Amino acid sequence: MAQAGLGSASGYGSIHDTPLATKGYHSRIIERGWEKDILGEIVNTRIVAQAFDCNQVVEFILQPDVGPWRKYEDNQVIKPDTVQITSVQMTLCNQAYKAIKIDNNLQRNLCQFWSKFEAGFLDSCYRELSGMWHSFVLSAMVLEADRRNKGANAGRERSINLGTVGAPVRVTPGNLPVNLMNLRNVLVHNNRWKNGEMFLIVPPEFSNVVIQSEYRLAADISCCKDPSMLLTGELPGQLAGFRTIESMRTISAFDTTVNKQAYYILAFWKEAFAFYGDITEGRIIEDKDYWGRQYQMAALWGGKAIYGDAIAVGYWTFE
């Protein structure tokens, strides 16, 4: 009798080398590496949760700006100022779907492990969708930040250089504290600084600079603090008052002028960007053309910077 995995005496492969072999599955599903879901922490979902339950477009009215008071003189003719309505419009205009075909034989072959397998691919569906949402939010934040909060002439006096395409800020361990304070000062100038509610989104390359800077003690994962950077992407402690999160989805581009990869560093108040996302449909249908079924899902999302002046954008390279 031929042994498992070896050819038989007749020269043909054994049954173990054919599709007729009975395959056994281990009880453990090997997970993929996923980036931490941070949307719930860095965007404003509270303000839009109910508004979008029945609407696709919502207008946010901005607080009116009445201007400065006028100096009064005796017998002066009063000149009234007018108040205008200004608003920001948020639209749910992004849609996607996912359909997965499952053959009945697959479920039979997995036996008691089917429920784990099903939970695994449904989790993968959500995480892929979450990744799309993350990229959408970070890109929109870069584009919708107030124009006075980015570029070479940012801040109240237009004197803060946050970097521009072709002339990024070269961030080194030595000048990192100054550049972090530049981002902070832009937000402070706009009266948008809220202690304990400020975030900084950076690429993994940022850690190479931090670990050599004066912030290295705060980033030292061997100290007594919880080593959250390894597990969640968030650096322990705070940098210049920011909760700092590493993200592989940080927006970047190769700057041909300096011949280096440049990164858009986001510094912001957590309420600045409103976001709504939901899996609006979900169903399992039996397919008439094969022995199996389909898992079908549809999603909808949208977002808007409702406090554009509470988002600052640095354009940095790392040395």
Side-chain angles (χ1 to χ4, degrees):
M1 179 177 179
Q3 297 182 16
L6 299 178
S8 65
S10 64
Y12 292 98
S14 70
I15 193 172
H16 295 276
D17 298 318
T18 74
L20 297 177
T22 301
K23 186 184 296 183
Y25 290 94
H26 197 279
S27 60
R28 178 177 177 180
I29 301 256
I30 306 302
E31 297 179 352
R32 291 178 55 193
W34 297 101
E35 184 165 309
K36 180 195 175 189
D37 190 333
I38 60 174
L39 279 187
E41 298 181 67
I42 69 170
V43 296
N44 187 335
T45 56
R46 168 187 50 80
I47 199 170
V48 295
Q50 294 182 345
F52 279 113
D53 284 343
C54 300
N55 303 286
Q56 191 172 355
V57 180
V58 172
E59 292 268 348
F60 296 96
I61 298 176
L62 304 180
Q63 182 179 6
D65 182 5
V66 300
W69 285 51
R70 299 179 186 273
K71 185 178 179 180
Y72 177 75
E73 298 177 0
D74 291 344
N75 301 314
Q76 178 181 349
V77 176
I78 295 176
K79 297 180 179 179
D81 295 310
T82 59
V83 179
Q84 307 248 341
I85 293 178
T86 55
S87 63
V88 173
Q89 185 180 94
M90 177 174 164
T91 306
L92 297 184
C93 56
N94 300 281
Q95 300 180 74
Y97 78 91
K98 188 67 178 176
I100 301 172
K101 173 184 172 183
I102 298 293
D103 193 279
N104 288 342
N105 281 331
L106 177 63
Q107 181 173 355
R108 279 193 291 269
N109 291 341
L110 286 169
C111 299
Q112 70 269 31
F113 306 130
W114 164 251
S115 60
K116 287 185 178 181
F117 185 79
E118 182 185 43
F121 70 71
L122 291 177
D123 179 63
S124 176
C125 286
Y126 174 75
R127 289 177 182 268
E128 291 288 352
L129 177 62
S130 175
M132 293 175 66
W133 288 352
H134 279 72
S135 296
F136 166 80
V137 166
L138 298 184
S139 297
M141 278 185 159
V142 170
L143 294 173
E144 297 181 19
D146 192 289
R147 59 183 177 80
R148 297 168 296 181
N149 290 12
K150 51 189 173 183
N153 305 110
R156 180 180 54 199
E157 307 295 336
R158 306 293 185 264
S159 59
I160 297 176
N161 180 17
L162 298 182
T164 59
V165 174
V169 173
R170 296 174 61 252
V171 175
T172 67
N175 68 21
L176 175 62
V178 171
N179 284 299
L180 288 175
M181 290 305 295
N182 282 343
L183 289 170
R184 183 185 189 278
N185 288 339
V186 167
L187 298 172
V188 170
H189 290 173
N190 293 333
N191 297 309
R192 290 303 189 187
W193 186 268
K194 309 289 184 182
N195 287 331
E197 299 181 13
M198 310 305 292
F199 280 87
L200 188 73
I201 305 296
V202 297
E205 289 77 6
F206 178 79
S207 292
N208 296 334
V209 176
V210 172
I211 209 66
Q212 302 175 66
S213 74
E214 65 182 54
Y215 288 113
R216 62 186 178 277
L217 294 180
D220 185 1
I221 59 175
S222 66
C223 66
C224 297
K225 298 176 182 177
D226 177 35
S228 59
M229 185 169 62
L230 291 179
L231 303 177
T232 68
E234 182 173 347
L235 274 66
Q238 294 188 349
L239 302 180
F242 293 103
R243 285 181 59 187
T244 304
I245 295 178
E246 290 183 344
S247 175
M248 290 290 292
R249 297 185 178 91
T250 300
I251 309 304
S252 69
F254 188 80
D255 195 310
T256 55
T257 303
V258 296
N259 204 35
K260 289 182 70 74
Q261 195 75 12
Y263 301 88
Y264 290 93
I265 308 301
L266 285 164
F268 56 94
W269 178 36
K270 70 175 185 177
E271 300 291 329
F273 193 89
F275 176 81
Y276 182 93
D278 194 16
I279 297 177
T280 55
E281 303 282 349
R283 63 187 181 184
I284 303 175
I285 61 172
E286 299 291 330
D287 198 297
K288 63 182 180 62
D289 295 324
Y290 66 92
W291 300 110
R293 55 196 181 279
Q294 286 189 28
Y295 290 69
Q296 297 180 347
M297 293 149 274
L300 179 71
W301 70 93
K304 187 69 179 177
I306 55 176
Y307 301 102
D309 61 348
I311 304 172
V313 182
Y315 183 71
W316 294 0
T317 59
F318 300 110
E319 306 294 331

